[in-house]
Amino acid sequence: MAATPWYFVAVLLTILTSSQGILTTLSQSNGGYKYDYATVPFLAEVFKLIVSGLFLWREMRTSSSTTSRITTDWKSVRLFVIPSLIYLIHNNVQFATLTYVDTSTYQIMGNLKIVTTGILFRLFLKRKLSKLQWMAIGLLAVGTTTSQVKGCGEATCDSLFTAPIQGYLLGILSAGLSALAGIYTEFLMKRNNDTLYWQNLQLYTFGSLFNVARLIADDFRHGFEKGPWWQRIFDGYSITTWMVVLNLGSTGLLVSWLMKYADNIVKVYSTSMAMLLTMVASIYLFSFKPTLQLFLGIVICIMSLHMYFAPPHTLVDLPVTNEAHAKTLKQVVVEEKTDS
């Protein structure tokens, strides 16, 4: 799979991510969930764990050199605990943020992770970005925010600046944690030559354990009134719910591939374009009314995508170098000698 072009994986990730919210909405019944939504990420982690294990087993059987790309040292394995902890804290910060701000404000503040990812990408991974690429990242944040802002005459527009200061601080913290988790995961994936499937196996094992811990904590919080979580884990599940689980698991596998063979910026663009694709799909599926802001946001994001990934010489007119002048003069001299 390493030979697969990164842009193919990025497009596939965009499609899966955009359908994630749609499938989750379709899995609702009468405005709520018949199933325990906390079991969905757990089953998605188990799915990723099983798939990674099968691919690792297949790779070990077909390649004798795989064993040299598996580091079993505990000092290396324990590093995979950190991103799981960061994601766990991030999920709780998300919940706390929504107690202070409304959904529209939360979505707009979530775009800060685009900028924070670029900053941490430069600081921690020491990856240099050109001025055009920094401008492209800024445009992406502006474009996604523009697409989410509703009409200025609506109450939600006024509520953007009326939330308590705690809500804004938690929103900034949430964006920072999201970017930090992605950057650290990329660092783990690229720090050695271990096979991707072995790295995934470690990452998703700790992810599954932390999700089990959350389910047990929920049981204690509610006094086991509905029984232990493992006895009701599939209660209320439908075909659509299973599609949500498979979608979430497949998305995670694609993200880990991008972390290994591409980078966080590619992932940010994939998820941002997926958000816009979801809005467009909602026009037909949920009678969502398109707005001028959505159209402008899509145009700005497409411009940002072109600015970041296009070769610089296609964006600006580069001056002719002395080397080019020398080659031209040489051709002229040769042509003159030929004519004479």
Side-chain angles (χ1 to χ4, degrees), residues 6-26:
W6 65 263
Y7 47 82
F8 175 79
V9 178
V11 171
L12 187 57
L13 176 62
T14 300
I15 296 173
L16 287 178
T17 306
S18 62
S19 61
Q20 201 170 95
I22 296 172
L23 288 173
T24 304
T25 302
L26 292 175

Side-chain angles (χ1 to χ4, degrees), residues 90 93-94 97 106 109-117 120 169-181:
H90 174 250
V93 171
Q94 280 183 313
T97 304
Y106 175 76
M109 292 181 63
N111 295 321
L112 287 172
K113 67 184 178 184
I114 297 173
V115 179
T116 54
T117 298
L120 295 179
L169 293 176
L170 287 172
I172 295 172
L173 178 61
S174 176
L177 288 172
S178 176
L180 180 61

